C-alpha cells in the first residue's frame, strides 16, 4: 500500500523560538537543526518559530535506533510530550506512526533518519543545519515518511506504507495535565472539556470513535500557546480521543485498532489569539 501525499495546513501566526534559547537575527525566520541529547536519547533538535522539537535518533548508551518526537516545547518552555521512557511509561510521543513502534519514541520499531534536499538526496550534517524548508526522511522496513519543517508550521509526507498507520498525539497539555482548566477544540469552535473522556475512542458519546473535524487543538487557561494538529485527504478510519487525567491526552487520526491508513497531517504551536 503506497500513499504519497504532502498535506500542508498553513499556520497563520508566528511563534518565537523556545524561551531561553535565542536564535541570531539571521536565523530568526529560519529552521535550525542541531544534535542534542534529550533524556536518554540523542535527538535532532529542531528549532523554529512554531516550537522546538526533539526527534529521537538513537539511545545514548546502547546505540539502538529510534524515531519519533519525545519532546515538543513551546515558547514558554512547556514540553507538550516529555517522554523520558521511564517516568512517563513509554506512552507519550508523536506521531506514533506504526503498530510496530515506528515513529513512537522508546517503543521499538527501529528506523533510521537523515536530512535530505528537495530531490531526496542526503544532506551531510555538520553540527548545524539552517534553512527555511528542511526535510527529515525517516524509514524502517515497512514505512518511509518525510517531515517538512518550515519556520511557522510543519507537515508530514507519507512516501511508502506497507502496513496500516495512524497519526497519534500523546502528551500533557501545556506540559502538565490539569483537566479543570484544559480543553480541546474542533471545527465547530466549541471548547470541550476532558472530564468525560473516560475510555478509548470516546471524546464525547455523540462522536464515538470518529470525531467530526479535520483538525483539533488543545488549550490551557494559563498557557499562552495551543497545540494544533490537522489532517488533510486521509482515508476513512477511526479518530480516537480520550484522556488520562494524571498523565496525558491521546488524540489520533486513524487509530481504530490499527486497521486504517491515512495520508498526512501537520503540527505546530499557535498563539491563543488566533481565534
Amino acid at each position: 500500500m503506497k500513499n504519497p501525499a504532502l498535506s500542508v495546513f498553513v499556520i497563520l501566526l508566528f511563534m518565537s523560538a523556545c524561551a531561553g534559547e535565542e536564535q541570531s537575527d539571521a536565523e530568526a525566520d529560519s529552521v535550525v537543526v542541531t544534535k542534542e541529547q534529550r533524556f536518554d536519547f540523542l535527538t535532532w533538535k529542531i528549532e523554529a518559530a512554531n516550537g522546538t522539537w526533539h526527534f529521537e535518533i538513537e539511545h545514548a548508551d546502547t546505540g539502538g535506533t529510534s524515531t519519533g518526537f519525545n519532546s515538543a516545547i513551546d515558547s514558554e518552555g512547556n514540553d507538550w510530550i516529555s517522554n523520558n521512557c521511564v517516568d512517563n511509561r513509554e506512552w507519550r510521543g508523536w506521531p506514533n506512526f506504526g503498530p510496530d513502534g515506528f515513529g513512537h519514541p522508546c517503543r521499538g520499531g527501529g528506523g533510521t533518519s537523515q536530512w535530505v534536499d528537495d530531490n531526496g538526496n542526503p544532506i551531510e550534517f555538520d553540527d548545524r543545519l539552517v534553512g527555511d524548508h528542511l526535510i527529515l526522511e525517516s524509514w524502517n522496513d515497512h514505512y518511509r515518511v518525510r517531515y517538512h519543517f518550515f519556520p511557522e508550521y510543519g507537515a508530514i509526507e507519507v512516501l511508502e506504507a506497507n502496513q496500516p498507520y495512524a497519526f497519534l498525539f500523546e502528551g500533557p497539555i501545556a506540559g502538565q495535565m490539569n483537566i479543570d482548566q484544559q480543553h480541546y477544540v474542533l471545527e465547530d469552535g466549541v471548547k470541550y472539556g476532558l472530564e468525560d473522556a473516560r475510555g478509548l475512542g470516546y471524546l464525547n458519546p455523540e462522536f464515538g470513535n470518529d470525531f467530526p473535524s479535520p483538525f483539533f487543538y488543545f488549550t490551557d487557561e494559563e498557557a499562552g500557546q495551543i497545540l494544533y494538529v490537522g489532517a488533510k485527504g486521509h482515508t476513512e478510519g477511526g479518530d480516537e480521543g480520550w484522556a488520562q487525567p494524571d498523565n496525558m491526552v491521546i488524540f489520533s487520526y486513524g487509530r481504530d485498532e490499527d486497521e486504517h491508513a491515512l495520508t498526512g497531517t501537520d503540527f505546530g504551536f499557535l498563539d491563543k489569539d488566533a481565534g
Side-chain angles (χ1 to χ4, degrees):
M1 167 179 61
K2 295 185 178 181
N3 298 292
L6 172 59
S7 174
V8 175
F9 277 74
V10 177
I11 292 181
L12 299 177
L13 294 182
F14 292 81
M15 291 291 299
S16 61
C18 178
E21 299 182 17
E22 295 295 331
Q23 295 174 306
S24 69
D25 290 341
E27 297 173 348
D29 294 328
S30 300
V31 180
V32 179
V33 178
T34 54
K35 279 186 179 180
E36 183 177 296
Q37 183 170 332
R38 181 71 173 170
F39 308 122
D40 292 334
F41 284 81
L42 181 65
T43 70
W44 300 113
K45 180 182 180 182
I46 302 129
E47 298 176 85
N50 71 330
T52 297
W53 306 81
H54 285 266
F55 188 93
E56 290 186 352
I57 303 170
E58 63 182 33
H59 194 278
D61 294 327
T62 68
T65 60
S66 183
T67 52
F69 296 94
N70 68 17
S71 284
I73 304 169
D74 68 19
S75 65
E76 296 179 331
N78 301 313
D79 191 341
W80 293 60
I81 297 178
S82 187
N83 185 355
N84 65 12
C85 302
V86 179
D87 295 339
N88 297 319
R89 292 173 276 183
E90 304 183 11
W91 289 343
R92 300 175 179 178
W94 168 257
N96 302 346
F97 195 80
D100 64 353
F102 176 72
H104 194 315
C106 318
R107 272 288 183 96
T112 304
S113 60
Q114 67 179 8
W115 295 94
V116 300
D117 63 19
D118 291 343
N119 297 317
N121 300 312
I123 295 175
E124 183 177 352
F125 182 85
D126 185 14
D127 296 329
R128 191 178 188 87
L129 285 178
V130 180
D132 58 8
H133 178 199
L134 298 181
I135 305 169
L136 180 65
E137 187 163 303
S138 180
W139 69 93
N140 72 356
D141 291 340
H142 303 295
Y143 306 104
R144 184 176 293 268
V145 300
R146 285 182 186 164
Y147 298 88
H148 295 257
F149 297 96
F150 303 89
E152 68 275 19
Y153 68 95
I156 300 177
E157 178 183 12
V158 181
L159 299 180
E160 184 173 353
N162 298 316
Q163 292 183 353
Y165 64 91
F167 292 99
L168 177 66
F169 179 85
E170 297 175 309
I173 298 174
Q176 184 174 355
M177 292 299 293
N178 184 352
I179 62 174
D180 291 337
Q181 64 185 41
Q182 295 169 342
H183 303 84
Y184 66 92
V185 181
L186 304 179
E187 189 176 25
D188 59 13
V190 175
K191 290 175 63 175
Y192 293 96
L194 293 163
E195 297 86 347
D196 296 324
R198 303 177 187 275
L200 285 169
Y202 291 98
L203 288 166
N204 183 306
E206 296 179 3
F207 301 159
N209 196 27
D210 187 14
F211 56 86
S213 180
F215 65 84
F216 59 82
Y217 65 86
F218 304 122
T219 182
D220 183 291
E221 293 172 6
E222 296 184 359
Q225 287 75 49
I226 63 174
L227 179 66
Y228 168 93
V229 176
K232 180 179 179 181
H234 63 73
T235 57
E236 294 296 326
D239 300 328
E240 180 181 292
W242 57 297
Q244 296 172 354
D246 61 342
N247 186 27
M248 63 179 176
V249 291
I250 303 97
F251 272 51
S252 80
Y253 287 102
R255 194 169 90 159
D256 188 355
E257 300 180 356
D258 295 323
E259 294 297 328
H260 299 277
L262 308 181
T263 56
T265 190
D266 74 328
F267 49 93
F269 292 101
L270 296 180
D271 283 320
K272 267 185 175 177
D273 59 7

